[in-house]
Amino acid sequence: MSKLFLPLAIKGITLKNRIVVSPMCQYSSIDGFANQWHLVHLGSRAVGGAGLLITEAIAVSPEGRISPDDLGIWKDEHIGKLAEITDFIKAQGAVPGIQLAHAGRKGSTYTSWKGNGKIPVAEGGWETVAPSAMPFADDYPHPAALDLAGIQKVIGDFKASAKRAYEAGFEVAEIHAAHGYLLHQFLSPLSNKRIDQYGGSFENRSRLLLEVIDAVKSVWPVDLPLFVRISATDWSASEEGWDLPQSIQLAVLLKEKGVDVLDVSTGGNLASAKIPVGPAYQLPFATAIKKETGITTATVGLITSAVQAETILVNEDADLILFARELLRDPYFPLRAAKELREDIAWPEQYARAK
Ligand SMILES: Cc1cc2nc3c(=O)[nH]c(=O)nc-3n(C[C@H](O)[C@H](O)[C@H](O)COP(=O)(O)O)c2cc1C
């Protein structure tokens, strides 16, 4: 049996294989609502055989969106359309996961095919928030530094959204603390210049993420998995940024808190970063974190073939493989991968004549 198609039990759920649809913003929503696009996008990848599908970054508050076109889960009305999607995913034997997100200072920006950079408030944008009043880059909005009441609101928004996510039928919750969005902004000394209990030391910079995890766990069922996505490094040339040793230190704390899977990405918080992109270029970070802490890790980034994914698992360099662009090119990649690895997996009955 290949490792890629070996089921993985995490708490009360079992993934039928190790192929995960990585979160991918579709920028196709109005007022945060899911629609037919999201159903077909996620639904076809469930038909295509992925074991776990994690939605795009779904905003926990309107000001937590990246663009006005992001999905949201900040009100109960959002639950119904999301539930149609989770029902369909489950009917294909796959597991629906949700990425809960707050964009912080990277919010109020145009969807790439609609414009460039920040959206002024007068044109439908909003006031963004961050740990410190520093923009991500010149063409990004100037954020306001969150005060303590604002931080409490963020924590409450993640909690309420996690509760709605469960009501919408999701079985995995992933907290987005990567890619330069709000929780990563707090972790990294590049974006966090606070002098209160949420800034300065490693302990203080990690505080918000840990409090968000506690809040989410207070409403998320104990038998359902909780993932956290981090950027393991800022790829900063200076000594100042977030880096692998801090990620390992954080992973120890997350494991103690009962986080089930660490989804290890990199970058996104430093506009000028030089990133040595290549096949599986982020894997060494997931491997180091797994080996140092024993936490279950997921790897992502330029993994594009069945053999490449299988090799990672056989070497025990990571436990789950997330695919993003390969699954945009081919939603049926898992069915093809099974054939390549000589696995006889079940196809949707409707498609069996093509097997
Ligand atoms: C269209 C698109 C949208 C994305 N949106 C998200 C997102 O919402 N949340 C997230 O954590 N990563 C997002 N990413 C990053 C992917 O999840 C993934 O980490 C990255 O594309 C590297 O994997 P790949 O080489 O398999 O594409 C997005 C990537 C793409 C291509």
Side-chain angles (χ1 to χ4, degrees), residues 239-278:
E239 297 282 289
E240 208 195 348
W242 181 260
D243 56 15
L244 181 60
Q246 292 175 83
S247 294
I248 291 170
Q249 213 178 332
L250 179 68
V252 171
L253 299 179
L254 298 191
K255 195 175 173 215
E256 277 168 17
K257 280 238 173 271
V259 169
D260 300 291
V261 175
L262 200 56
D263 172 6
V264 183
S265 188
T266 70
N269 199 34
L270 176 63
S272 63
K274 302 258 180 299
I275 304 179
V277 174

Side-chain angles (χ1 to χ4, degrees), residues 130-171:
S132 305
M134 298 159 56
F136 170 64
D138 288 346
D139 53 349
Y140 275 73
H142 277 263
L146 279 166
D147 59 17
L148 293 182
I151 288 177
Q152 285 308 312
K153 178 181 181 303
V154 168
I155 296 168
D157 288 341
F158 270 96
K159 178 175 169 178
S161 297
K163 190 158 177 286
R164 288 186 200 104
Y166 175 64
E167 285 164 18
F170 288 100
E171 295 176 318

Side-chain angles (χ1 to χ4, degrees), residues 60-127:
V60 299
S61 60
E63 66 277 13
R65 290 172 297 173
I66 304 167
S67 81
D69 313 306
D70 291 20
L71 278 179
I73 191 158
W74 62 80
K75 50 186 174 186
D76 290 348
E77 290 76 11
H78 286 142
I79 294 172
K81 287 286 169 198
L82 291 169
E84 288 176 27
I85 298 175
T86 60
D87 279 351
F88 185 84
I89 291 173
K90 289 181 201 168
Q92 312 315 312
V95 172
I98 183 169
Q99 190 180 52
L100 297 169
H102 191 305
R105 66 177 183 166
K106 287 176 95 176
S108 192
T109 56
Y110 282 107
T111 293
S112 62
W113 61 84
K114 293 186 180 172
N116 279 320
K118 66 176 168 226
I119 307 179
V121 174
E123 289 167 36
W126 54 91
E127 301 290 352

Side-chain angles (χ1 to χ4, degrees), residues 29 120 157 162 197 247-248 290 296 302 325:
S29 152
D157 288 341
Q197 67 269 42
S247 294
I248 291 170
K290 180 177 159 64
T296 302
L302 279 178
R325 288 163 293 179

Side-chain angles (χ1 to χ4, degrees), residues 22-25 56-57 99 176 179 229 300-302 323-325:
S22 198
M24 280 183 280
C25 285
E56 67 188 76
Q99 190 180 52
H176 195 355
H179 300 168
R229 175 171 266 202
V300 65
L302 279 178
F323 298 84
R325 288 163 293 179

Side-chain angles (χ1 to χ4, degrees), residues 18-26 41-42 45 50-57 97-99 174 176 178-179 227 229 263-265 282 298-303 320-328:
R18 312 293 176 103
I19 300 175
V20 182
V21 178
S22 198
M24 280 183 280
C25 285
Q26 299 296 296
H41 166 67
L42 291 164
R45 280 151 191 87
L52 167 65
L53 295 92
I54 306 180
T55 66
E56 67 188 76
I98 183 169
Q99 190 180 52
E174 174 169 279
H176 195 355
H179 300 168
F227 289 26
R229 175 171 266 202
D263 172 6
V264 183
S265 188
Q282 298 180 138
T299 185
V300 65
L302 279 178
I303 299 164
L320 280 168
I321 313 286
L322 275 70
F323 298 84
R325 288 163 293 179
E326 187 56 27
L327 279 166
L328 287 188

